[in-house]
Amino acid sequence: MGAIVFNVTTAALMIMMLNCGLGVVGQNTLRGRPIPWAAVTLTAIAVGGVLLQLVWSGAMHALDADPTRSGWWREFTSVFMQNGGVFGTLWNLVTLAIVATLAQWYWGGPLTLGFFVAGIVLPGRIDTLLGFADGPSTDPRNFAGSSGATYFLGATLALAFLTRTRLPKELALAIGVPVLGLAMWLAQDNGHGLVSVYGFALGAAVWAARTRWRGGNTNSNRLIERAR
């Protein structure tokens, strides 16, 4: 029963983030948008990782994030290995493709890639800094998979939606992402929830910095026009 609840809440959190992404991008604008090259790149690498596992039996051993094995690359290559079975692999690939696409259409390609990389390197370091972890995970389920970075990236879409709506239901949906994420972590020790909180917070910091930069440029342009 516990596993079912874990999976249902994890899926529900993703669905909330996808709805936030559709809301911030605009469902009626999807057909006319350009090809999301960053999303295509990330998805292609993830699919390539799965194919590599199929043709090379030693791929997981060489590329996962098992803390008992050395290799600086494991932190990055493990993200493109999958260990959740057929259903888990398909879920990870499909959600990565959709989330990265929506993220690129809002944040742009470079920021999308930056958020994804941040979703790889930041959570473990923040956990250690805040005392949430005693060291690298020893749970084999955490040795591989793209879901953590995907949920981190998806949470930035919830933050973006929060800044672009005033409707109570939509505000509740956006705010519900970090709230549900935190509840999942506290009640289930579900890491997907905690990384979503981190992604939401980083999205807020980037949005604030970008808004301030744009505001500064606007004010500078006004001063230049007045001087003329």
Side-chain angles (χ1 to χ4, degrees):
M1 184 64 180
I4 295 176
V5 174
F6 185 99
N7 291 333
V8 168
T9 54
T10 302
L13 180 61
M14 174 54 67
I15 292 171
M16 291 171 65
M17 293 189 291
L18 292 178
N19 281 320
C20 287
L22 289 171
V24 76
V25 168
Q27 295 189 41
N28 297 328
T29 70
L30 300 184
R31 289 187 178 180
R33 290 184 173 273
I35 296 175
W37 60 267
V40 171
T41 299
L42 289 174
T43 305
I45 296 174
V47 171
V50 173
L51 294 177
L52 182 64
Q53 288 178 256
L54 293 176
V55 300
W56 180 26
S57 61
M60 186 67 75
H61 184 275
L63 302 174
D64 72 1
D66 186 341
T68 64
R69 300 169 185 155
S70 61
W72 61 266
W73 60 87
R74 293 179 181 278
E75 181 177 23
F76 302 96
T77 56
S78 62
V79 176
F80 299 103
M81 298 287 102
Q82 306 295 340
N83 62 357
V86 174
F87 178 78
T89 296
L90 290 175
W91 172 263
N92 284 355
L93 294 178
V94 171
T95 54
L96 171 59
I98 298 174
V99 167
T101 295
L102 294 172
Q104 177 162 353
W105 284 340
Y106 176 76
W107 293 109
L111 258 182
T112 295
L113 294 177
F115 279 134
F116 191 81
V117 172
I120 297 173
V121 302
L122 288 184
R125 290 166 174 78
I126 296 175
D127 286 350
T128 300
L129 180 65
L130 298 179
F132 293 157
D134 298 326
S137 172
T138 57
D139 187 339
R141 294 175 299 178
N142 296 329
F143 292 173
S146 57
S147 61
T150 300
Y151 275 71
F152 186 101
L153 177 60
T156 68
L157 294 171
L159 181 279
F161 194 41
L162 180 65
T163 66
R164 295 174 66 89
T165 184
R166 293 295 179 269
L167 298 178
K169 288 184 178 180
E170 294 180 346
L171 290 172
L173 175 64
I175 296 173
V177 167
V179 171
L180 176 59
L182 186 60
M184 288 165 54
W185 177 65
L186 292 173
Q188 304 173 332
D189 197 25
N190 190 333
H192 297 91
L194 189 57
V195 298
S196 297
V197 175
Y198 294 159
F200 191 89
L202 182 60
V206 171
W207 176 84
R210 190 164 72 166
T211 300
R212 184 172 182 179
W213 179 79
R214 287 176 174 174
N217 281 352
T218 300
N219 292 335
S220 296
N221 292 335
R222 288 175 180 172
L223 290 174
I224 292 173
E225 289 298 326
R226 289 177 183 177
R228 291 177 179 173

